Amino acid sequence: MTSTASTEPAAEPRHWLRLLVAWLVLSLAADLVIWFVWFPHLPPGDMSTSARLQQFDIAVLAIAGAPVFIGVVGYFIYAIVNWRARAGDDSDGTPIHGNVKLQATWIIGTSAIVLFLAVFGTYELIVPAGAGAGEGPQPIWKLAGNQTATWSPGANDMLQVQVIGQQWVWTFRYPQFGGMESSTLYLPVDTPIEFHVTSLDVIHDFWAYQLGVKADANPAVDNVAYTEAKQMGSVSVRCDELCGIWHGAMFTYGRVVTQDAFQTWATGVQAKEAANGVLAALPPYALTYDPTVIPQLGQAIVKVDGITGAAGYYYPSTDPVQP
Ligand SMILES: [Cu+2]
Protein backbone atom coordinates (compact mmCIF):
# COMPACT_ATOMS: atom_id res chain seq x y z
CA MET A 1 0.00 0.00 0.00
CA THR A 2 1.33 3.42 -0.88
CA SER A 3 1.22 6.15 1.69
CA THR A 4 -1.15 9.03 1.02
CA ALA A 5 0.82 11.30 3.31
CA SER A 6 3.26 12.41 0.64
CA THR A 7 2.60 15.65 -1.20
CA GLU A 8 2.96 14.15 -4.67
CA PRO A 9 -0.33 12.93 -6.17
CA ALA A 10 -0.54 9.20 -5.39
CA ALA A 11 -3.38 6.91 -6.45
CA GLU A 12 -6.04 6.83 -3.70
CA PRO A 13 -6.56 3.33 -2.30
CA ARG A 14 -10.06 1.95 -2.72
CA HIS A 15 -11.28 2.99 0.70
CA TRP A 16 -14.87 1.77 0.39
CA LEU A 17 -13.80 -1.66 -0.80
CA ARG A 18 -11.32 -1.94 2.05
CA LEU A 19 -13.94 -0.85 4.56
CA LEU A 20 -16.55 -3.20 3.13
CA VAL A 21 -14.25 -6.23 3.22
CA ALA A 22 -13.01 -5.45 6.74
CA TRP A 23 -16.59 -4.86 7.91
CA LEU A 24 -17.85 -8.13 6.40
CA VAL A 25 -15.02 -10.19 7.90
CA LEU A 26 -15.25 -8.62 11.37
CA SER A 27 -19.06 -8.75 11.44
CA LEU A 28 -19.13 -12.39 10.44
CA ALA A 29 -16.50 -13.24 13.06
CA ALA A 30 -18.40 -11.32 15.77
CA ASP A 31 -21.73 -12.91 14.87
CA LEU A 32 -20.23 -16.41 14.89
CA VAL A 33 -18.74 -15.78 18.34
CA ILE A 34 -22.06 -14.40 19.60
CA TRP A 35 -24.06 -17.36 18.27
CA PHE A 36 -21.76 -20.21 19.25
CA VAL A 37 -19.91 -18.91 22.31
CA TRP A 38 -22.04 -16.23 23.98
CA PHE A 39 -25.62 -17.31 23.22
CA PRO A 40 -25.62 -20.49 25.41
CA HIS A 41 -24.46 -18.44 28.42
CA LEU A 42 -26.78 -15.47 28.04
CA PRO A 43 -29.19 -14.73 30.88
CA PRO A 44 -31.71 -15.85 31.96
CA GLY A 45 -30.65 -19.31 30.77
CA ASP A 46 -32.89 -21.93 29.20
CA MET A 47 -34.86 -23.39 32.10
CA SER A 48 -38.30 -22.52 30.70
CA THR A 49 -39.96 -21.70 27.39
CA SER A 50 -40.00 -17.99 28.22
CA ALA A 51 -36.37 -17.99 29.42
CA ARG A 52 -35.27 -19.76 26.21
CA LEU A 53 -37.13 -17.28 24.07
CA GLN A 54 -35.61 -14.35 25.93
CA GLN A 55 -32.15 -15.86 25.53
CA PHE A 56 -32.81 -16.28 21.81
CA ASP A 57 -34.13 -12.72 21.50
CA ILE A 58 -31.05 -11.27 23.21
CA ALA A 59 -28.79 -13.32 20.91
CA VAL A 60 -30.67 -12.14 17.80
CA LEU A 61 -30.47 -8.51 18.94
CA ALA A 62 -26.73 -8.90 19.62
CA ILE A 63 -26.23 -10.46 16.19
CA ALA A 64 -28.15 -7.62 14.54
CA GLY A 65 -26.35 -4.99 16.62
CA ALA A 66 -22.76 -6.22 16.22
CA PRO A 67 -22.42 -5.31 12.49
CA VAL A 68 -23.88 -1.85 13.20
CA PHE A 69 -21.46 -1.32 16.06
CA ILE A 70 -18.50 -2.58 14.02
CA GLY A 71 -19.58 -0.44 11.04
CA VAL A 72 -19.81 2.77 13.05
CA VAL A 73 -16.71 2.28 15.20
CA GLY A 74 -14.68 0.75 12.33
CA TYR A 75 -15.47 3.66 10.02
CA PHE A 76 -14.65 6.09 12.83
CA ILE A 77 -11.23 4.53 13.44
CA TYR A 78 -10.49 4.25 9.71
CA ALA A 79 -11.40 7.90 9.18
CA ILE A 80 -9.22 9.06 12.08
CA VAL A 81 -6.26 7.10 10.77
CA ASN A 82 -6.61 7.92 7.07
CA TRP A 83 -8.48 11.18 6.69
CA ARG A 84 -7.48 13.31 9.62
CA ALA A 85 -6.32 16.82 8.76
CA ARG A 86 -2.56 17.05 8.38
CA ALA A 87 -0.61 19.94 9.84
CA GLY A 88 -1.34 23.11 7.88
CA ASP A 89 -4.37 21.64 6.08
CA ASP A 90 -7.28 24.06 6.59
CA SER A 91 -9.43 22.84 3.70
CA ASP A 92 -12.92 21.37 4.12
CA GLY A 93 -13.68 17.71 3.64
CA THR A 94 -15.64 16.42 0.67
CA PRO A 95 -19.29 17.51 0.98
CA ILE A 96 -21.75 14.61 1.32
CA HIS A 97 -24.90 16.74 0.94
CA GLY A 98 -26.64 15.67 -2.23
CA ASN A 99 -24.76 12.38 -2.41
CA VAL A 100 -27.72 10.26 -3.50
CA LYS A 101 -25.89 6.95 -3.15
CA LEU A 102 -24.88 7.67 0.43
CA GLN A 103 -28.30 9.02 1.42
CA ALA A 104 -30.14 6.09 -0.16
CA THR A 105 -27.84 3.58 1.52
CA TRP A 106 -28.36 5.25 4.90
CA ILE A 107 -32.17 5.50 4.61
CA ILE A 108 -32.63 1.98 3.26
CA GLY A 109 -30.19 0.49 5.77
CA THR A 110 -31.64 2.11 8.87
CA SER A 111 -35.24 1.51 7.71
CA ALA A 112 -34.50 -2.18 7.18
CA ILE A 113 -32.99 -2.51 10.66
CA VAL A 114 -35.86 -0.71 12.41
CA LEU A 115 -38.55 -2.60 10.47
CA PHE A 116 -36.86 -5.91 11.22
CA LEU A 117 -36.76 -5.10 14.93
CA ALA A 118 -40.45 -4.08 14.91
CA VAL A 119 -41.58 -7.24 13.09
CA PHE A 120 -39.31 -9.56 15.09
CA GLY A 121 -40.28 -7.99 18.41
CA THR A 122 -44.01 -8.17 17.66
CA TYR A 123 -43.76 -11.79 16.52
CA GLU A 124 -41.77 -12.79 19.61
CA LEU A 125 -44.36 -11.19 21.88
CA ILE A 126 -47.32 -12.90 20.21
CA VAL A 127 -46.08 -16.42 19.58
CA PRO A 128 -44.98 -17.40 23.11
CA ALA A 129 -48.03 -15.66 24.63
CA GLY A 130 -46.17 -12.74 26.08
CA ALA A 131 -42.88 -14.55 26.80
CA GLY A 132 -43.28 -14.60 30.57
CA ALA A 133 -44.36 -11.01 31.01
CA GLY A 134 -47.54 -9.93 32.76
CA GLU A 135 -50.24 -9.52 30.14
CA GLY A 136 -52.91 -8.06 32.38
CA PRO A 137 -56.20 -9.62 33.52
CA GLN A 138 -57.29 -10.57 29.98
CA PRO A 139 -54.30 -11.66 27.92
CA ILE A 140 -54.84 -11.40 24.18
CA TRP A 141 -52.61 -14.42 23.58
CA LYS A 142 -52.86 -17.51 25.77
CA LEU A 143 -50.61 -20.48 26.25
CA ALA A 144 -52.15 -23.78 25.11
CA GLY A 145 -53.41 -26.02 27.90
CA ASN A 146 -56.62 -27.38 29.40
CA GLN A 147 -58.45 -25.14 31.85
CA THR A 148 -59.48 -27.49 34.63
CA ALA A 149 -60.87 -27.24 38.15
CA THR A 150 -58.37 -29.79 39.45
CA TRP A 151 -54.90 -30.46 38.09
CA SER A 152 -53.60 -33.90 37.17
CA PRO A 153 -50.20 -34.96 35.86
CA GLY A 154 -49.76 -36.03 32.25
CA ALA A 155 -52.95 -34.39 31.00
CA ASN A 156 -51.59 -31.06 29.70
CA ASP A 157 -53.72 -29.29 32.30
CA MET A 158 -52.81 -25.65 32.80
CA LEU A 159 -51.54 -25.19 36.35
CA GLN A 160 -52.81 -22.00 37.91
CA VAL A 161 -50.56 -20.40 40.49
CA GLN A 162 -51.56 -17.22 42.23
CA VAL A 163 -48.61 -15.09 43.26
CA ILE A 164 -49.47 -12.77 46.15
CA GLY A 165 -47.01 -10.01 47.02
CA GLN A 166 -47.09 -8.09 50.26
CA GLN A 167 -44.54 -6.19 52.33
CA TRP A 168 -42.27 -8.17 52.29
CA VAL A 169 -43.08 -11.77 51.43
CA TRP A 170 -44.34 -13.81 48.52
CA THR A 171 -47.17 -16.29 48.96
CA PHE A 172 -48.18 -18.83 46.32
CA ARG A 173 -51.74 -20.05 46.16
CA TYR A 174 -52.93 -23.07 44.18
CA PRO A 175 -56.67 -22.82 43.35
CA GLN A 176 -56.73 -26.31 41.77
CA PHE A 177 -55.64 -27.75 45.14
CA GLY A 178 -58.37 -26.29 47.31
CA GLY A 179 -56.80 -22.83 47.31
CA MET A 180 -53.92 -24.01 49.53
CA GLU A 181 -50.99 -21.69 50.12
CA SER A 182 -47.24 -22.08 50.24
CA SER A 183 -44.35 -19.75 50.93
CA THR A 184 -42.24 -21.81 48.51
CA LEU A 185 -42.99 -21.92 44.79
CA TYR A 186 -43.35 -25.52 43.60
CA LEU A 187 -43.93 -26.18 39.91
CA PRO A 188 -44.22 -29.31 37.76
CA VAL A 189 -41.90 -29.66 34.77
CA ASP A 190 -43.25 -29.72 31.18
CA THR A 191 -46.54 -28.18 32.29
CA PRO A 192 -48.13 -24.95 31.05
CA ILE A 193 -48.23 -22.53 33.97
CA GLU A 194 -50.62 -19.63 34.34
CA PHE A 195 -49.41 -17.19 36.99
CA HIS A 196 -51.96 -14.79 38.45
CA VAL A 197 -49.89 -12.06 40.04
CA THR A 198 -51.39 -9.63 42.52
CA SER A 199 -50.54 -7.67 45.66
CA LEU A 200 -52.15 -6.99 49.03
CA ASP A 201 -50.59 -3.60 49.65
CA VAL A 202 -48.13 -1.61 47.54
CA ILE A 203 -46.74 -2.34 44.07
CA HIS A 204 -44.32 -5.27 43.85
CA ASP A 205 -42.88 -7.17 40.92
CA PHE A 206 -42.74 -10.96 40.70
CA TRP A 207 -39.42 -11.99 39.16
CA ALA A 208 -38.76 -15.73 38.84
CA TYR A 209 -35.32 -15.26 37.32
CA GLN A 210 -34.48 -18.70 35.89
CA LEU A 211 -38.02 -19.05 34.49
CA GLY A 212 -37.73 -15.77 32.61
CA VAL A 213 -40.96 -14.55 34.22
CA LYS A 214 -41.33 -10.98 35.39
CA ALA A 215 -44.76 -9.52 36.09
CA ASP A 216 -45.92 -6.51 38.08
CA ALA A 217 -47.79 -7.32 41.30
CA ASN A 218 -50.28 -4.51 41.80
CA PRO A 219 -53.07 -4.35 44.37
CA ALA A 220 -56.53 -5.00 42.90
CA VAL A 221 -54.98 -6.20 39.60
CA ASP A 222 -54.86 -9.79 38.32
CA ASN A 223 -51.76 -9.83 36.12
CA VAL A 224 -51.48 -13.05 34.09
CA ALA A 225 -48.10 -14.43 32.95
CA TYR A 226 -47.38 -17.73 31.21
CA THR A 227 -44.44 -20.07 31.09
CA GLU A 228 -43.54 -23.74 30.92
CA ALA A 229 -40.53 -25.08 32.81
CA LYS A 230 -38.44 -27.42 30.66
CA GLN A 231 -35.85 -28.41 33.28
CA MET A 232 -36.01 -29.35 36.95
CA GLY A 233 -34.10 -27.46 39.60
CA SER A 234 -34.05 -24.41 41.82
CA VAL A 235 -35.58 -21.04 40.96
CA SER A 236 -34.94 -17.77 42.73
CA VAL A 237 -37.87 -15.43 43.21
CA ARG A 238 -37.25 -11.78 43.89
CA CYS A 239 -39.27 -8.61 44.16
CA ASP A 240 -38.19 -6.26 41.38
CA GLU A 241 -40.09 -3.14 42.31
CA LEU A 242 -38.90 -0.92 45.14
CA CYS A 243 -41.63 -1.59 47.70
CA GLY A 244 -40.39 -0.31 51.02
CA ILE A 245 -37.51 -0.64 53.46
CA TRP A 246 -37.21 -4.45 53.26
CA HIS A 247 -37.66 -4.66 49.48
CA GLY A 248 -34.18 -6.12 49.17
CA ALA A 249 -35.08 -8.95 51.54
CA MET A 250 -38.23 -9.86 49.62
CA PHE A 251 -37.04 -13.05 48.00
CA THR A 252 -37.68 -16.75 48.21
CA TYR A 253 -36.89 -19.88 46.28
CA GLY A 254 -38.86 -22.23 44.12
CA ARG A 255 -38.42 -25.75 42.81
CA VAL A 256 -39.34 -27.33 39.53
CA VAL A 257 -40.01 -31.03 40.12
CA THR A 258 -41.55 -33.93 38.21
CA GLN A 259 -45.29 -33.81 37.65
CA ASP A 260 -45.87 -36.72 40.01
CA ALA A 261 -43.67 -35.21 42.73
CA PHE A 262 -45.53 -31.94 42.36
CA GLN A 263 -48.91 -33.62 42.72
CA THR A 264 -47.72 -35.49 45.82
CA TRP A 265 -46.42 -32.25 47.35
CA ALA A 266 -49.52 -30.20 46.46
CA THR A 267 -52.05 -32.73 47.72
CA GLY A 268 -49.93 -33.18 50.87
CA VAL A 269 -49.94 -29.45 51.63
CA GLN A 270 -53.66 -29.28 50.84
CA ALA A 271 -54.40 -32.11 53.27
CA LYS A 272 -52.22 -30.56 55.98
CA GLU A 273 -53.83 -27.13 55.63
CA ALA A 274 -57.30 -28.69 55.59
CA ALA A 275 -56.48 -30.58 58.79
CA ASN A 276 -54.88 -27.74 60.74
CA GLY A 277 -57.49 -25.14 59.79
CA VAL A 278 -55.49 -22.92 57.40
CA LEU A 279 -57.83 -23.56 54.47
CA ALA A 280 -60.86 -22.67 56.58
CA ALA A 281 -59.18 -19.49 57.80
CA LEU A 282 -58.08 -18.31 54.34
CA PRO A 283 -60.39 -16.08 52.32
CA PRO A 284 -62.12 -17.83 49.39
CA TYR A 285 -59.91 -17.99 46.31
CA ALA A 286 -60.30 -14.82 44.25
CA LEU A 287 -58.25 -13.14 41.54
CA THR A 288 -57.57 -10.17 43.81
CA TYR A 289 -57.98 -9.54 47.51
CA ASP A 290 -58.82 -6.50 49.54
CA PRO A 291 -57.07 -7.00 52.89
CA THR A 292 -59.06 -4.17 54.48
CA VAL A 293 -62.27 -6.19 54.29
CA ILE A 294 -60.86 -9.38 55.80
CA PRO A 295 -60.51 -8.33 59.44
CA GLN A 296 -58.92 -10.55 62.07
CA LEU A 297 -57.89 -13.06 59.47
CA GLY A 298 -54.22 -12.64 60.29
CA GLN A 299 -54.58 -13.81 63.85
CA ALA A 300 -56.19 -17.08 62.82
CA ILE A 301 -53.44 -17.79 60.29
CA VAL A 302 -50.68 -17.00 62.76
CA LYS A 303 -52.27 -19.37 65.26
CA VAL A 304 -52.52 -22.32 62.90
CA ASP A 305 -49.50 -22.03 60.63
CA GLY A 306 -47.23 -19.22 61.75
CA ILE A 307 -47.43 -17.40 58.40
CA THR A 308 -46.78 -13.73 59.00
CA GLY A 309 -46.46 -10.57 56.96
CA ALA A 310 -44.76 -7.30 57.74
CA ALA A 311 -47.28 -6.26 60.37
CA GLY A 312 -46.88 -9.58 62.11
CA TYR A 313 -50.00 -10.91 60.46
CA TYR A 314 -50.79 -12.26 57.07
CA TYR A 315 -53.42 -9.56 56.71
CA PRO A 316 -53.45 -6.34 58.73
CA SER A 317 -55.22 -6.63 62.02
CA THR A 318 -58.08 -4.26 62.79
CA ASP A 319 -57.01 -4.17 66.42
CA PRO A 320 -54.96 -0.95 66.85
CA VAL A 321 -53.15 -2.43 69.86
CA GLN A 322 -51.76 -5.32 67.81
CA PRO A 323 -48.32 -4.79 66.28
CU1 LIG B 1 -41.86 -6.01 46.88
Side-chain angles (χ1 to χ4, degrees):
M1 289 290 161
T2 53
S3 167
T4 53
S6 94
T7 45
E8 58 203 58
E12 274 286 308
R14 299 167 76 180
H15 292 298
W16 288 109
L17 186 66
R18 268 195 204 171
L19 279 166
L20 183 68
V21 171
W23 175 73
L24 281 173
V25 170
L26 288 173
S27 297
L28 184 67
D31 280 352
L32 288 173
V33 169
I34 288 168
W35 187 258
F36 289 105
V37 181
W38 200 28
F39 176 22
H41 305 286
L42 280 171
D46 61 349
M47 192 173 182
S48 72
T49 47
S50 37
R52 282 178 188 181
L53 283 155
Q54 286 163 32
Q55 199 182 39
F56 175 75
D57 292 349
I58 296 170
V60 169
L61 292 184
I63 279 169
V68 176
F69 178 82
I70 289 167
V72 171
V73 175
Y75 180 85
F76 187 54
I77 293 169
Y78 191 89
I80 287 174
V81 171
N82 289 282
W83 297 319
R84 69 176 182 276
R86 310 289 159 178
D89 179 6
D90 292 331
S91 64
D92 283 341
T94 319
I96 59 168
H97 181 76
N99 186 328
V100 175
K101 219 165 153 186
L102 198 69
Q103 288 170 351
T105 308
W106 184 260
I107 290 167
I108 291 168
T110 51
S111 302
I113 292 169
V114 170
L115 284 174
F116 161 75
L117 292 175
V119 171
F120 177 75
T122 308
Y123 176 85
E124 289 292 279
L125 272 179
I126 295 171
V127 172
E135 303 302 297
Q138 261 115 31
I140 303 170
W141 306 293
K142 296 182 177 180
L143 206 61
N146 307 323
Q147 292 286 349
T148 53
T150 54
W151 184 90
S152 333
N156 202 38
D157 292 348
M158 181 84 78
L159 179 74
Q160 292 166 36
V161 181
Q162 184 170 51
V163 179
I164 306 169
Q166 64 175 316
Q167 290 173 321
W168 288 273
V169 287
W170 292 110
T171 308
F172 307 98
R173 203 163 177 194
Y174 295 79
Q176 289 147 310
F177 292 88
M180 66 84 169
E181 284 193 352
S182 168
S183 54
T184 309
L185 176 66
Y186 266 73
L187 296 173
V189 75
D190 293 325
T191 302
I193 311 282
E194 186 179 288
F195 288 113
H196 289 265
V197 185
T198 189
S199 165
L200 293 180
D201 39 42
V202 300
I203 54 172
H204 302 272
D205 189 290
F206 171 61
W207 185 19
Y209 178 84
Q210 289 83 355
L211 297 178
V213 175
K214 195 189 251 186
D216 287 336
N218 296 336
V221 175
D222 168 35
N223 198 7
V224 178
Y226 298 102
T227 196
E228 183 169 333
K230 305 307 285 182
Q231 295 165 23
M232 288 183 281
S234 183
V235 173
S236 55
V237 175
R238 306 202 72 95
C239 180
D240 198 45
E241 183 72 54
L242 185 58
C243 60
I245 193 164
W246 294 115
H247 159 69
M250 190 170 164
F251 64 89
T252 183
Y253 296 95
R255 287 207 76 75
V256 177
V257 296
T258 64
Q259 297 185 359
D260 288 336
F262 170 79
Q263 194 191 34
T264 306
W265 170 82
T267 49
V269 175
Q270 183 183 355
K272 180 185 157 230
E273 294 188 357
N276 66 15
V278 169
L279 286 191
L282 285 171
Y285 179 78
L287 293 172
T288 61
Y289 304 96
D290 181 354
T292 60
V293 299
I294 327 175
Q296 301 304 325
L297 189 58
Q299 291 185 8
I301 296 291
V302 168
K303 246 179 252 165
V304 292
D305 209 31
I307 300 174
T308 59
Y313 292 109
Y314 180 72
Y315 297 108
S317 166
T318 51
D319 184 349
V321 183
Q322 292 289 344

